[in-house]
Amino acid sequence: MNWQQFALDRTRRLPYYAGAAATVAVLQACGGIGRLAPADLPPMTPAQVDSWVAPFRPSEAKRFDVRWTYQTQQGRSSGRAALLFVPPDSVRFDYRAPFGRSGAAVIVGDSILWSEPEEDVGRMIQVAPLLWAAMGIALPPPPEAALSGVESGESVTWRYALPRDTLTYQASTSLPGGVFRAEMRGTDGVIGRVELDFADSAPEPAEAMMRFPGSASLVQFSVVGIKAVEAVDAQFWVEPQP
């Protein structure tokens, strides 16, 4: 399985200097991210994992309208984006950035079908499974993955282990509200991590933060609206032609 790379964001209403200082501190800490969960979780069956994944798999098409911020130690940019999710595993990501820049991508499962412009979208979306997690959606386990997990108190943790990468989820069992986390690890450590706060009124995302130690980058987003979508034109998924 080749986990494709992508990214996202959360905007805090802090004074500029306080926000900048806090973000730099987070970026400096990126290189020292510890494990989300112990390495030796007990084995689980696919049926057990499916029961934990199910609450985080929406059954209807939804549009998420978000405000995003992308930051490195060199600078910061922000804008708006729309993510259209269509069950079971498709999402279109459209964003607008400063100075009239915009872009789009289509993701199916853990793979990017297309992105335009590729370089800009690549900065926004660094790991596809973490983009899903930033929307409060868990991917089902790949058939070839070794599964493990544990239930402790009011949270559950489960993991998909592949030869090169592992994807770990951690979620509150008390919904609505609660938190949702996901972490991708490779042979050299943490590739990326997302931490999501759910809205109090429903098991839907409110704010998320994505951290990528390798690039010392941080992507945050605040969800400003979610609505059900009844129909989507097939042309919507087609890559624009130059």
PDB file of all heavy atoms in Angstrom, residues 124-154:
ATOM      1  N   MET A 124      -0.658  21.360   0.684  1.00  0.00           N
ATOM      2  CA  MET A 124      -1.879  21.367   1.475  1.00  0.00           C
ATOM      3  C   MET A 124      -2.269  19.977   1.969  1.00  0.00           C
ATOM      4  O   MET A 124      -2.817  19.819   3.046  1.00  0.00           O
ATOM      5  CB  MET A 124      -3.031  21.937   0.640  1.00  0.00           C
ATOM      6  CG  MET A 124      -2.951  23.423   0.401  1.00  0.00           C
ATOM      7  SD  MET A 124      -3.338  24.327   1.918  1.00  0.00           S
ATOM      8  CE  MET A 124      -5.063  23.906   2.088  1.00  0.00           C
ATOM      9  N   ILE A 125      -1.993  18.960   1.160  1.00  0.00           N
ATOM     10  CA  ILE A 125      -2.437  17.600   1.480  1.00  0.00           C
ATOM     11  C   ILE A 125      -1.219  16.692   1.447  1.00  0.00           C
ATOM     12  O   ILE A 125      -0.795  16.275   0.381  1.00  0.00           O
ATOM     13  CB  ILE A 125      -3.499  17.098   0.480  1.00  0.00           C
ATOM     14  CG1 ILE A 125      -4.633  18.110   0.365  1.00  0.00           C
ATOM     15  CG2 ILE A 125      -4.029  15.745   0.908  1.00  0.00           C
ATOM     16  CD1 ILE A 125      -5.615  17.774  -0.729  1.00  0.00           C
ATOM     17  N   GLN A 126      -0.661  16.372   2.589  1.00  0.00           N
ATOM     18  CA  GLN A 126       0.585  15.619   2.609  1.00  0.00           C
ATOM     19  C   GLN A 126       0.400  14.122   2.820  1.00  0.00           C
ATOM     20  O   GLN A 126       1.223  13.336   2.366  1.00  0.00           O
ATOM     21  CB  GLN A 126       1.528  16.187   3.665  1.00  0.00           C
ATOM     22  CG  GLN A 126       2.002  17.591   3.313  1.00  0.00           C
ATOM     23  CD  GLN A 126       3.036  18.117   4.285  1.00  0.00           C
ATOM     24  OE1 GLN A 126       3.798  17.358   4.856  1.00  0.00           O
ATOM     25  NE2 GLN A 126       3.053  19.428   4.475  1.00  0.00           N
ATOM     26  N   VAL A 127      -0.628  13.690   3.507  1.00  0.00           N
ATOM     27  CA  VAL A 127      -0.897  12.267   3.706  1.00  0.00           C
ATOM     28  C   VAL A 127      -2.397  12.047   3.604  1.00  0.00           C
ATOM     29  O   VAL A 127      -3.158  12.527   4.446  1.00  0.00           O
ATOM     30  CB  VAL A 127      -0.376  11.770   5.075  1.00  0.00           C
ATOM     31  CG1 VAL A 127      -0.661  10.286   5.250  1.00  0.00           C
ATOM     32  CG2 VAL A 127       1.115  12.022   5.204  1.00  0.00           C
ATOM     33  N   ALA A 128      -2.836  11.340   2.588  1.00  0.00           N
ATOM     34  CA  ALA A 128      -4.263  11.208   2.316  1.00  0.00           C
ATOM     35  C   ALA A 128      -5.061  10.638   3.485  1.00  0.00           C
ATOM     36  O   ALA A 128      -6.128  11.167   3.821  1.00  0.00           O
ATOM     37  CB  ALA A 128      -4.480  10.376   1.053  1.00  0.00           C
ATOM     38  N   PRO A 129      -4.621   9.547   4.150  1.00  0.00           N
ATOM     39  CA  PRO A 129      -5.409   9.052   5.284  1.00  0.00           C
ATOM     40  C   PRO A 129      -5.571  10.085   6.394  1.00  0.00           C
ATOM     41  O   PRO A 129      -6.576  10.073   7.108  1.00  0.00           O
ATOM     42  CB  PRO A 129      -4.596   7.838   5.764  1.00  0.00           C
ATOM     43  CG  PRO A 129      -3.873   7.367   4.555  1.00  0.00           C
ATOM     44  CD  PRO A 129      -3.504   8.636   3.825  1.00  0.00           C
ATOM     45  N   LEU A 130      -4.594  10.990   6.549  1.00  0.00           N
ATOM     46  CA  LEU A 130      -4.725  12.017   7.576  1.00  0.00           C
ATOM     47  C   LEU A 130      -5.700  13.107   7.153  1.00  0.00           C
ATOM     48  O   LEU A 130      -6.342  13.731   8.003  1.00  0.00           O
ATOM     49  CB  LEU A 130      -3.354  12.607   7.913  1.00  0.00           C
ATOM     50  CG  LEU A 130      -2.332  11.620   8.487  1.00  0.00           C
ATOM     51  CD1 LEU A 130      -1.079  12.363   8.933  1.00  0.00           C
ATOM     52  CD2 LEU A 130      -2.920  10.809   9.634  1.00  0.00           C
ATOM     53  N   LEU A 131      -5.817  13.348   5.856  1.00  0.00           N
ATOM     54  CA  LEU A 131      -6.848  14.271   5.381  1.00  0.00           C
ATOM     55  C   LEU A 131      -8.232  13.723   5.714  1.00  0.00           C
ATOM     56  O   LEU A 131      -9.101  14.451   6.182  1.00  0.00           O
ATOM     57  CB  LEU A 131      -6.717  14.489   3.879  1.00  0.00           C
ATOM     58  CG  LEU A 131      -7.851  15.311   3.236  1.00  0.00           C
ATOM     59  CD1 LEU A 131      -7.864  16.731   3.788  1.00  0.00           C
ATOM     60  CD2 LEU A 131      -7.712  15.332   1.727  1.00  0.00           C
ATOM     61  N   TRP A 132      -8.423  12.426   5.475  1.00  0.00           N
ATOM     62  CA  TRP A 132      -9.699  11.808   5.861  1.00  0.00           C
ATOM     63  C   TRP A 132      -9.943  11.987   7.364  1.00  0.00           C
ATOM     64  O   TRP A 132     -11.048  12.339   7.788  1.00  0.00           O
ATOM     65  CB  TRP A 132      -9.673  10.315   5.529  1.00  0.00           C
ATOM     66  CG  TRP A 132      -9.775   9.981   4.081  1.00  0.00           C
ATOM     67  CD1 TRP A 132      -8.765   9.581   3.257  1.00  0.00           C
ATOM     68  CD2 TRP A 132     -10.956  10.002   3.271  1.00  0.00           C
ATOM     69  NE1 TRP A 132      -9.244   9.351   1.989  1.00  0.00           N
ATOM     70  CE2 TRP A 132     -10.585   9.598   1.975  1.00  0.00           C
ATOM     71  CE3 TRP A 132     -12.288  10.333   3.524  1.00  0.00           C
ATOM     72  CZ2 TRP A 132     -11.495   9.504   0.929  1.00  0.00           C
ATOM     73  CZ3 TRP A 132     -13.196  10.238   2.481  1.00  0.00           C
ATOM     74  CH2 TRP A 132     -12.806   9.839   1.206  1.00  0.00           C
ATOM     75  N   ALA A 133      -8.914  11.724   8.179  1.00  0.00           N
ATOM     76  CA  ALA A 133      -9.064  11.850   9.627  1.00  0.00           C
ATOM     77  C   ALA A 133      -9.397  13.268  10.040  1.00  0.00           C
ATOM     78  O   ALA A 133     -10.130  13.491  11.006  1.00  0.00           O
ATOM     79  CB  ALA A 133      -7.788  11.378  10.324  1.00  0.00           C
ATOM     80  N   ALA A 134      -8.863  14.259   9.313  1.00  0.00           N
ATOM     81  CA  ALA A 134      -9.154  15.652   9.623  1.00  0.00           C
ATOM     82  C   ALA A 134     -10.614  15.992   9.386  1.00  0.00           C
ATOM     83  O   ALA A 134     -11.108  17.008   9.872  1.00  0.00           O
ATOM     84  CB  ALA A 134      -8.254  16.579   8.807  1.00  0.00           C
ATOM     85  N   MET A 135     -11.325  15.169   8.622  1.00  0.00           N
ATOM     86  CA  MET A 135     -12.767  15.320   8.440  1.00  0.00           C
ATOM     87  C   MET A 135     -13.550  14.426   9.393  1.00  0.00           C
ATOM     88  O   MET A 135     -14.765  14.322   9.309  1.00  0.00           O
ATOM     89  CB  MET A 135     -13.152  14.996   6.991  1.00  0.00           C
ATOM     90  CG  MET A 135     -12.617  15.969   5.960  1.00  0.00           C
ATOM     91  SD  MET A 135     -13.291  15.650   4.296  1.00  0.00           S
ATOM     92  CE  MET A 135     -12.493  14.086   3.901  1.00  0.00           C
ATOM     93  N   GLY A 136     -12.841  13.733  10.283  1.00  0.00           N
ATOM     94  CA  GLY A 136     -13.502  12.838  11.222  1.00  0.00           C
ATOM     95  C   GLY A 136     -13.874  11.506  10.611  1.00  0.00           C
ATOM     96  O   GLY A 136     -14.759  10.814  11.117  1.00  0.00           O
ATOM     97  N   ILE A 137     -13.178  11.126   9.528  1.00  0.00           N
ATOM     98  CA  ILE A 137     -13.493   9.884   8.814  1.00  0.00           C
ATOM     99  C   ILE A 137     -12.301   8.938   8.913  1.00  0.00           C
ATOM    100  O   ILE A 137     -11.161   9.320   8.628  1.00  0.00           O
ATOM    101  CB  ILE A 137     -13.813  10.172   7.339  1.00  0.00           C
ATOM    102  CG1 ILE A 137     -15.040  11.090   7.238  1.00  0.00           C
ATOM    103  CG2 ILE A 137     -14.059   8.867   6.569  1.00  0.00           C
ATOM    104  CD1 ILE A 137     -15.339  11.567   5.822  1.00  0.00           C
ATOM    105  N   ALA A 138     -12.564   7.694   9.315  1.00  0.00           N
ATOM    106  CA  ALA A 138     -11.524   6.673   9.391  1.00  0.00           C
ATOM    107  C   ALA A 138     -11.593   5.784   8.161  1.00  0.00           C
ATOM    108  O   ALA A 138     -12.678   5.374   7.738  1.00  0.00           O
ATOM    109  CB  ALA A 138     -11.705   5.821  10.648  1.00  0.00           C
ATOM    110  N   LEU A 139     -10.436   5.476   7.590  1.00  0.00           N
ATOM    111  CA  LEU A 139     -10.389   4.541   6.471  1.00  0.00           C
ATOM    112  C   LEU A 139     -10.526   3.116   6.990  1.00  0.00           C
ATOM    113  O   LEU A 139     -10.031   2.794   8.075  1.00  0.00           O
ATOM    114  CB  LEU A 139      -9.079   4.675   5.710  1.00  0.00           C
ATOM    115  CG  LEU A 139      -8.863   5.950   4.894  1.00  0.00           C
ATOM    116  CD1 LEU A 139      -7.472   5.938   4.265  1.00  0.00           C
ATOM    117  CD2 LEU A 139      -9.923   6.092   3.813  1.00  0.00           C
ATOM    118  N   PRO A 140     -11.176   2.231   6.239  1.00  0.00           N
ATOM    119  CA  PRO A 140     -11.211   0.812   6.631  1.00  0.00           C
ATOM    120  C   PRO A 140      -9.828   0.204   6.464  1.00  0.00           C
ATOM    121  O   PRO A 140      -8.992   0.738   5.726  1.00  0.00           O
ATOM    122  CB  PRO A 140     -12.220   0.201   5.651  1.00  0.00           C
ATOM    123  CG  PRO A 140     -12.176   1.104   4.460  1.00  0.00           C
ATOM    124  CD  PRO A 140     -11.908   2.479   4.983  1.00  0.00           C
ATOM    125  N   PRO A 141      -9.546  -0.891   7.144  1.00  0.00           N
ATOM    126  CA  PRO A 141      -8.198  -1.469   7.056  1.00  0.00           C
ATOM    127  C   PRO A 141      -7.918  -2.081   5.698  1.00  0.00           C
ATOM    128  O   PRO A 141      -8.788  -2.728   5.111  1.00  0.00           O
ATOM    129  CB  PRO A 141      -8.210  -2.553   8.142  1.00  0.00           C
ATOM    130  CG  PRO A 141      -9.647  -2.904   8.321  1.00  0.00           C
ATOM    131  CD  PRO A 141     -10.411  -1.636   8.080  1.00  0.00           C
ATOM    132  N   PRO A 142      -6.704  -1.899   5.155  1.00  0.00           N
ATOM    133  CA  PRO A 142      -6.319  -2.592   3.931  1.00  0.00           C
ATOM    134  C   PRO A 142      -6.320  -4.097   4.180  1.00  0.00           C
ATOM    135  O   PRO A 142      -6.005  -4.549   5.283  1.00  0.00           O
ATOM    136  CB  PRO A 142      -4.895  -2.088   3.659  1.00  0.00           C
ATOM    137  CG  PRO A 142      -4.770  -0.823   4.450  1.00  0.00           C
ATOM    138  CD  PRO A 142      -5.640  -0.999   5.644  1.00  0.00           C
ATOM    139  N   PRO A 143      -6.689  -4.898   3.180  1.00  0.00           N
ATOM    140  CA  PRO A 143      -6.764  -6.352   3.376  1.00  0.00           C
ATOM    141  C   PRO A 143      -5.466  -6.962   3.874  1.00  0.00           C
ATOM    142  O   PRO A 143      -5.481  -7.937   4.628  1.00  0.00           O
ATOM    143  CB  PRO A 143      -7.121  -6.865   1.980  1.00  0.00           C
ATOM    144  CG  PRO A 143      -7.757  -5.715   1.286  1.00  0.00           C
ATOM    145  CD  PRO A 143      -7.090  -4.491   1.825  1.00  0.00           C
ATOM    146  N   GLU A 144      -4.329  -6.382   3.464  1.00  0.00           N
ATOM    147  CA  GLU A 144      -3.041  -6.968   3.816  1.00  0.00           C
ATOM    148  C   GLU A 144      -2.483  -6.472   5.143  1.00  0.00           C
ATOM    149  O   GLU A 144      -1.395  -6.894   5.573  1.00  0.00           O
ATOM    150  CB  GLU A 144      -2.019  -6.684   2.703  1.00  0.00           C
ATOM    151  CG  GLU A 144      -1.620  -5.230   2.564  1.00  0.00           C
ATOM    152  CD  GLU A 144      -2.533  -4.417   1.657  1.00  0.00           C
ATOM    153  OE1 GLU A 144      -3.732  -4.765   1.539  1.00  0.00           O
ATOM    154  OE2 GLU A 144      -2.041  -3.432   1.078  1.00  0.00           O
ATOM    155  N   ALA A 145      -3.192  -5.584   5.852  1.00  0.00           N
ATOM    156  CA  ALA A 145      -2.668  -4.997   7.079  1.00  0.00           C
ATOM    157  C   ALA A 145      -2.806  -5.947   8.266  1.00  0.00           C
ATOM    158  O   ALA A 145      -3.790  -6.681   8.392  1.00  0.00           O
ATOM    159  CB  ALA A 145      -3.389  -3.689   7.381  1.00  0.00           C
ATOM    160  N   ALA A 146      -1.818  -5.905   9.162  1.00  0.00           N
ATOM    161  CA  ALA A 146      -1.922  -6.578  10.455  1.00  0.00           C
ATOM    162  C   ALA A 146      -2.676  -5.636  11.395  1.00  0.00           C
ATOM    163  O   ALA A 146      -2.326  -4.456  11.516  1.00  0.00           O
ATOM    164  CB  ALA A 146      -0.538  -6.894  11.005  1.00  0.00           C
ATOM    165  N   LEU A 147      -3.698  -6.141  12.076  1.00  0.00           N
ATOM    166  CA  LEU A 147      -4.580  -5.302  12.870  1.00  0.00           C
ATOM    167  C   LEU A 147      -4.324  -5.511  14.363  1.00  0.00           C
ATOM    168  O   LEU A 147      -4.132  -6.637  14.825  1.00  0.00           O
ATOM    169  CB  LEU A 147      -6.040  -5.636  12.558  1.00  0.00           C
ATOM    170  CG  LEU A 147      -6.429  -5.622  11.077  1.00  0.00           C
ATOM    171  CD1 LEU A 147      -7.909  -5.969  10.930  1.00  0.00           C
ATOM    172  CD2 LEU A 147      -6.131  -4.272  10.447  1.00  0.00           C
ATOM    173  N   SER A 148      -4.345  -4.406  15.095  1.00  0.00           N
ATOM    174  CA  SER A 148      -4.186  -4.470  16.541  1.00  0.00           C
ATOM    175  C   SER A 148      -4.948  -3.314  17.163  1.00  0.00           C
ATOM    176  O   SER A 148      -5.324  -2.362  16.483  1.00  0.00           O
ATOM    177  CB  SER A 148      -2.704  -4.416  16.939  1.00  0.00           C
ATOM    178  OG  SER A 148      -2.096  -3.227  16.449  1.00  0.00           O
ATOM    179  N   GLY A 149      -5.184  -3.388  18.476  1.00  0.00           N
ATOM    180  CA  GLY A 149      -5.911  -2.311  19.123  1.00  0.00           C
ATOM    181  C   GLY A 149      -6.227  -2.622  20.563  1.00  0.00           C
ATOM    182  O   GLY A 149      -5.968  -3.722  21.063  1.00  0.00           O
ATOM    183  N   VAL A 150      -6.819  -1.629  21.243  1.00  0.00           N
ATOM    184  CA  VAL A 150      -7.167  -1.800  22.649  1.00  0.00           C
ATOM    185  C   VAL A 150      -8.258  -0.791  23.013  1.00  0.00           C
ATOM    186  O   VAL A 150      -8.330   0.307  22.443  1.00  0.00           O
ATOM    187  CB  VAL A 150      -5.922  -1.597  23.547  1.00  0.00           C
ATOM    188  CG1 VAL A 150      -5.432  -0.148  23.477  1.00  0.00           C
ATOM    189  CG2 VAL A 150      -6.200  -2.005  24.974  1.00  0.00           C
ATOM    190  N   GLU A 151      -9.123  -1.173  23.953  1.00  0.00           N
ATOM    191  CA  GLU A 151     -10.113  -0.267  24.516  1.00  0.00           C
ATOM    192  C   GLU A 151      -9.702   0.042  25.938  1.00  0.00           C
ATOM    193  O   GLU A 151      -9.413  -0.867  26.723  1.00  0.00           O
ATOM    194  CB  GLU A 151     -11.505  -0.890  24.483  1.00  0.00           C
ATOM    195  CG  GLU A 151     -12.592   0.038  24.988  1.00  0.00           C
ATOM    196  CD  GLU A 151     -13.993  -0.497  24.753  1.00  0.00           C
ATOM    197  OE1 GLU A 151     -14.116  -1.629  24.276  1.00  0.00           O
ATOM    198  OE2 GLU A 151     -14.956   0.237  25.044  1.00  0.00           O
ATOM    199  N   SER A 152      -9.638   1.327  26.270  1.00  0.00           N
ATOM    200  CA  SER A 152      -9.199   1.737  27.593  1.00  0.00           C
ATOM    201  C   SER A 152     -10.028   2.914  28.058  1.00  0.00           C
ATOM    202  O   SER A 152      -9.979   3.997  27.453  1.00  0.00           O
ATOM    203  CB  SER A 152      -7.714   2.114  27.569  1.00  0.00           C
ATOM    204  OG  SER A 152      -7.285   2.576  28.828  1.00  0.00           O
ATOM    205  N   GLY A 153     -10.793   2.714  29.126  1.00  0.00           N
ATOM    206  CA  GLY A 153     -11.623   3.796  29.630  1.00  0.00           C
ATOM    207  C   GLY A 153     -12.650   4.224  28.599  1.00  0.00           C
ATOM    208  O   GLY A 153     -13.419   3.409  28.099  1.00  0.00           O
ATOM    209  N   GLU A 154     -12.640   5.525  28.245  1.00  0.00           N
ATOM    210  CA  GLU A 154     -13.604   6.053  27.278  1.00  0.00           C
ATOM    211  C   GLU A 154     -12.964   6.283  25.918  1.00  0.00           C
ATOM    212  O   GLU A 154     -13.416   7.138  25.155  1.00  0.00           O
ATOM    213  CB  GLU A 154     -14.209   7.353  27.798  1.00  0.00           C
ATOM    214  CG  GLU A 154     -15.065   7.179  29.040  1.00  0.00           C
ATOM    215  CD  GLU A 154     -15.809   8.445  29.421  1.00  0.00           C
ATOM    216  OE1 GLU A 154     -15.524   9.489  28.791  1.00  0.00           O
ATOM    217  OE2 GLU A 154     -16.664   8.382  30.318  1.00  0.00           O
TER     218      GLU A 154
END
